[in-house]
Amino acid sequence: MSNYAPLDVTFVKGEGCTLTSTQGEQYLDALSGVGVVGLGHCHPNITTAIQSQAGELLHTSNWYHIQHQETLAKKLCTLAKMDNAFFGNSGAEANEAAIKIARLHARANNIDTPIILTANQSFHGRTMATLSATGNPKVQAGFSPLVSDFIYVDFDDVDAIKAHIGNVNIVAVMLEPIQGESGVIVPADDYLNQVQNICQTNNWLLILDEVQTGIGRTGKLFAHQYNNITPDVLTLAKGLGNGVPIGACLAKGKAAELLTVGTHGSTFGGNPLVSKTALAVLEVIEKENILDNVTAMSDYLSAGLQKLSSDKITQIRIKGLMIAIELNQDCTELLNAALQKHLLINITGRSIRLLPPLILNTNEADIIINTIDELLGAL
């Protein structure tokens, strides 16, 4: 099917932040598979975990206890201060679970037509429910009728949420702590704190979609930790498996008890292979001080990019290793231009978006800065 438009390159090998093409040429991966390969390509500890588990047991289904899955659930819940976990195969599946939890929260409170508040320009996935939750008409185009009962409000606008306090059908607010797909939009420092206060006062669930911001991407294991809050529901994916497909929906308190036997499931979710791999990812993040490196490289890249002299730059937004360089013109053409210079980036409208691996070093950061400088000079 023609739903993808791949660039004219095929990769056959990866190591750290570098990918090698079929032609034997090396590319610096400043996108890390759209934020998936946080520990770089073929990290030896992750490879060892996959190989060892593949030699023992791949899959049994959730009809039985899965040792590594239960260990992973306990580990994630401890780290996130949550109570229970559900595992699927992707961020979309994790968000589907979160939406179903919100619906069950409504039933528990005798609300027959539940509504979830989400944000304009958000991105929560491409299944019917998650694209309906997504506040971007481009993602929804052609798929009407959408799953109803989502109301979109402006991101980083507390008053826009307060305006719905009188609506007795609101059951949850679902947000990304930082909007990634729309160009690394970072809200005010206390935005999430204020939203949580509103949710707690009105018995709404606070659902945080950390599919992209989670697992160290911002310099904290979870982005909401910058706010010292704990959401009711937390979704994860991308970096959790470092390339092995996994999604997780964590919940606390009453929200953690709403999914009961038979209400939700996943054939592959949390099988022995992906759970063992995710445990290895968390172990590497801790033992190799990955979060400290993210903060250091974020500061380094920020300083370097701020020195660029291009008059085309209007704003640089950076949180951890989520980076957007906003220009005063469309820059779609830079996607192929960067590829010609062996740098992998992403473009969102007028923004150059970078999601380099969390193991990035200063030499690689210099390559990114210098190549961006060259690209802007030729634009």
Side-chain angles (χ1 to χ4, degrees):
M1 297 185 185
S2 57
N3 52 312
Y4 297 115
L7 299 174
D8 190 21
V9 63
T10 301
F11 297 112
V12 294
K13 185 179 179 181
E15 182 177 3
C17 298
T18 302
L19 285 166
T20 303
S21 73
T22 51
Q23 307 302 313
E25 297 177 320
Q26 293 191 326
Y27 294 71
L28 178 59
D29 187 357
L31 189 58
S32 58
V34 196
V36 168
V37 193
L39 300 181
H41 298 279
C42 300
H43 187 289
N45 293 37
I46 306 306
T47 299
T48 296
I50 293 171
Q51 289 175 332
S52 65
Q53 189 58 44
E56 295 178 2
L57 185 64
L58 289 178
H59 180 79
T60 60
S61 89
N62 286 296
W63 285 106
Y64 314 101
H65 287 280
I66 300 173
Q67 184 179 26
H68 296 318
Q69 180 192 107
E70 293 175 357
T71 303
L72 177 62
K74 290 178 182 176
K75 180 76 172 178
L76 283 173
C77 285
T78 298
L79 292 169
K81 301 179 181 178
M82 306 298 269
D83 295 322
N84 285 331
F86 166 81
F87 292 105
N89 306 290
S90 65
E93 284 188 60
N95 284 333
E96 284 275 349
I99 292 167
K100 290 181 74 173
I101 287 172
R103 291 288 184 97
L104 292 172
H105 176 66
R107 300 294 177 265
N109 289 278
N110 299 314
I111 297 173
D112 294 328
T113 54
I115 296 171
I116 300 174
L117 296 181
T118 64
N120 288 315
Q121 302 306 314
S122 59
F123 184 81
H124 298 293
R126 293 185 184 275
T127 64
M128 278 307 304
T130 58
L131 76 83
S132 299
T134 293
N136 187 336
K138 289 183 179 178
V139 176
Q140 299 169 342
F143 296 107
S144 60
L146 302 177
V147 176
S148 59
D149 302 325
F150 291 98
I151 291 179
Y152 315 103
V153 298
D154 286 343
F155 187 61
D156 196 18
D157 186 342
V158 175
D159 290 336
I161 293 176
K162 287 181 178 178
H164 294 277
I165 286 177
N167 189 334
V168 296
N169 292 318
I170 303 294
V171 296
V173 178
M174 183 175 186
L175 298 169
E176 301 158 275
I178 298 168
Q179 290 191 332
E181 294 293 316
S182 59
V184 188
I185 308 302
V186 183
D189 289 345
D190 65 345
Y191 174 61
L192 292 182
N193 300 83
Q194 293 194 58
V195 175
Q196 185 185 50
N197 287 337
I198 295 170
C199 288
Q200 290 177 339
T201 301
N202 293 279
N203 192 30
W204 300 348
L205 297 182
L206 175 60
I207 301 170
L208 293 184
D209 174 350
E210 294 232 29
V211 167
Q212 188 165 120
T213 56
I215 315 300
R217 172 58 57 185
T218 68
K220 298 278 190 182
L221 193 58
F222 312 112
H224 68 264
Q225 291 174 327
Y226 282 104
N227 297 81
N228 294 313
I229 63 171
T230 304
D232 299 291
V233 182
L234 171 66
T235 60
L236 304 167
K238 290 191 181 288
L240 182 56
N242 208 61
V244 175
I246 184 171
C249 178
L250 312 180
K252 72 168 186 180
K254 294 180 179 178
E257 306 297 332
L258 292 169
L259 287 182
T260 55
V261 175
T263 55
H264 199 43
S266 171
T267 298
F268 298 103
N271 76 19
L273 179 70
V274 299
S275 296
K276 180 69 175 292
T277 305
L279 283 167
V281 168
L282 295 173
E283 184 176 271
V284 169
I285 288 174
E286 181 179 2
K287 289 188 174 180
E288 297 187 7
N289 298 317
I290 296 296
L291 301 182
D292 290 342
N293 189 64
V294 171
T295 300
M297 287 300 96
S298 178
D299 292 344
Y300 190 88
L301 278 167
S302 180
L305 292 172
Q306 295 290 348
K307 292 178 182 176
L308 297 182
S309 58
S310 174
D311 59 3
K312 298 180 176 62
I313 297 175
T314 59
Q315 188 179 38
I316 295 174
R317 298 183 293 270
I318 182 166
K319 188 73 171 180
L321 289 179
M322 296 179 74
I323 303 153
I325 305 165
E326 183 88 13
L327 306 183
N328 59 8
Q329 65 183 78
D330 183 275
C331 55
T332 306
E333 64 188 87
L334 291 185
L335 198 60
N336 272 304
L339 187 68
Q340 296 303 312
K341 293 181 177 295
H342 291 194
L343 178 68
L344 306 184
I345 63 173
N346 181 233
I347 301 294
T348 57
R350 295 185 174 189
S351 297
I352 301 170
R353 190 167 65 125
L354 306 173
L355 297 168
L358 312 185
I359 59 170
L360 193 77
N361 62 38
T362 54
N363 290 334
E364 293 158 340
D366 284 338
I367 292 172
I368 292 173
I369 295 166
N370 293 333
T371 305
I372 294 294
D373 192 24
E374 292 174 13
L375 290 169
L376 294 179
L379 187 63

